[in-house]
């Protein structure tokens, strides 16, 4: 896909419940765990998993799952939890990874911006929160930093779930 083709690109943001399982099984982001998660989310849809569909060929470009969360800040014997949303999973199909959208913006940046836009809309219209959190695999930290996320500071406390072992906690301030 050349530069001009990408700029003309059309996509849809759809709930996973409306996506055909065969199409989901074709998705591959390069991490088998995340590919399997997409199939599991189709089977157990809780309404928080969305896919990006390429309108020209119907292929899944990527997906995201989000949920309510909180950002805990602690210092000595005091702590406070701020309302947050969490991007639980975000993955882009290998076909669309590292493709440029314009001189400074990659296609994956565009998809992440769509997720952020959706979460900001939820914050403004339904449940107000101050932060968007995620746990990045080490290889994607620079991608998230490029898109405005920061690594947790000294007083921010990360979750202790097994599935985030080795991941880097990051936040985006609204």
């Amino acid at each position: 896909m050349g530069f001009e083709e990408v700029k003309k690109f059309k996509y849809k943001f759809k709930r996973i419940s409306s996506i055909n399982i065969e199409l989901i099984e074709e998705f591959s982001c390069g991490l088998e765990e995340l590919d399997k998660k997409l199939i599991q989310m189709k089977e157990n849809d809780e309404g928080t998993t969305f896919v990006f569909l390429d309108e020209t060929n119907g292929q899944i470009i990527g997906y995201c799952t989000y949920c309510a969360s909180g950002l805990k800040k602690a210092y000595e014997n005091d702590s406070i939890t701020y309302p947050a949303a969490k991007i639980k999973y975000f993955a882009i199909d290998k076909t669309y990874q590292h493709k440029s959208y314009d001189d400074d913006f990659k296609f994956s940046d565009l998809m992440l911006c769509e997720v952020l836009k959706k979460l900001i809309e939820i914050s403004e219209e339904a449940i107000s929160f101050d932060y968007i959190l995620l746990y990045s695999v080490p290889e994607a930290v620079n991608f998230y930093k490029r898109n405005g996320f920061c690594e947790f500071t000294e007083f921010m406390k990360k979750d202790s779930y097994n599935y985030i072992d080795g991941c880097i906690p990051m936040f985006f301030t609204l």
Side-chain angles (χ1 to χ4, degrees):
M1 200 181 294
F3 176 72
E4 288 303 315
E5 292 170 334
V6 172
K7 286 195 80 147
K8 295 177 188 174
F9 188 79
K10 302 280 186 212
Y11 60 91
K12 294 179 191 174
F13 195 51
K14 297 183 76 169
R15 288 190 183 276
I16 195 167
S17 58
S18 66
I19 307 301
N20 183 315
I21 189 68
E22 288 81 18
L23 195 56
I24 291 169
E25 290 170 344
E26 292 174 9
F27 177 84
S28 176
C29 70
L31 292 172
E32 191 176 334
E33 280 181 48
L34 290 177
D35 296 343
K36 287 180 181 178
K37 279 289 180 195
L38 184 58
I39 293 169
Q40 291 171 0
M41 287 180 265
K42 169 67 175 176
E43 295 167 357
N44 303 308
D45 181 33
E46 296 176 357
T48 60
T49 299
F50 289 84
V51 297
F52 299 101
L53 285 179
D54 183 331
E55 287 187 307
T56 59
N57 63 16
Q59 182 179 355
I60 294 175
I61 300 163
Y63 76 92
C64 71
T65 298
Y66 56 83
C67 62
S69 188
L71 176 60
K72 186 174 186 175
K73 292 184 180 181
Y75 181 72
E76 294 180 0
N77 294 329
D78 193 20
S79 70
I80 187 167
T81 301
Y82 294 91
K86 184 188 321 184
I87 299 173
K88 198 167 181 182
Y89 300 104
F90 177 77
I92 302 294
D93 191 272
K94 288 188 295 190
T95 308
Y96 297 88
Q97 292 177 6
H98 308 294
K99 296 207 179 286
S100 293
Y101 182 72
D102 63 22
D103 292 338
D104 300 313
F105 208 56
K106 296 200 181 290
F107 197 74
S108 52
D109 298 319
L110 176 65
M111 296 296 101
L112 182 60
C113 283
E114 286 292 335
V115 173
L116 294 175
K117 187 169 95 176
K118 179 76 171 166
L119 291 172
I120 290 168
E121 183 180 296
I122 291 169
S123 179
E124 291 173 350
E125 296 176 8
I127 301 170
S128 180
F129 47 84
D130 303 317
Y131 299 97
I132 299 172
L133 311 176
L134 58 79
Y135 287 82
S136 174
V137 294
E139 302 83 16
V141 168
N142 287 335
F143 164 73
Y144 289 115
K145 283 182 177 180
R146 184 175 74 235
N147 284 285
F149 282 82
C150 301
E151 291 184 39
F152 274 26
T153 64
E154 175 184 358
F155 301 109
M156 295 176 177
K157 301 299 175 196
K158 69 178 190 171
D159 292 334
S160 59
Y161 306 127
N162 286 338
Y163 76 88
I164 60 174
D165 283 347
C167 290
I168 312 300
M170 302 186 80
F171 71 99
F172 181 91
T173 305
L174 297 185

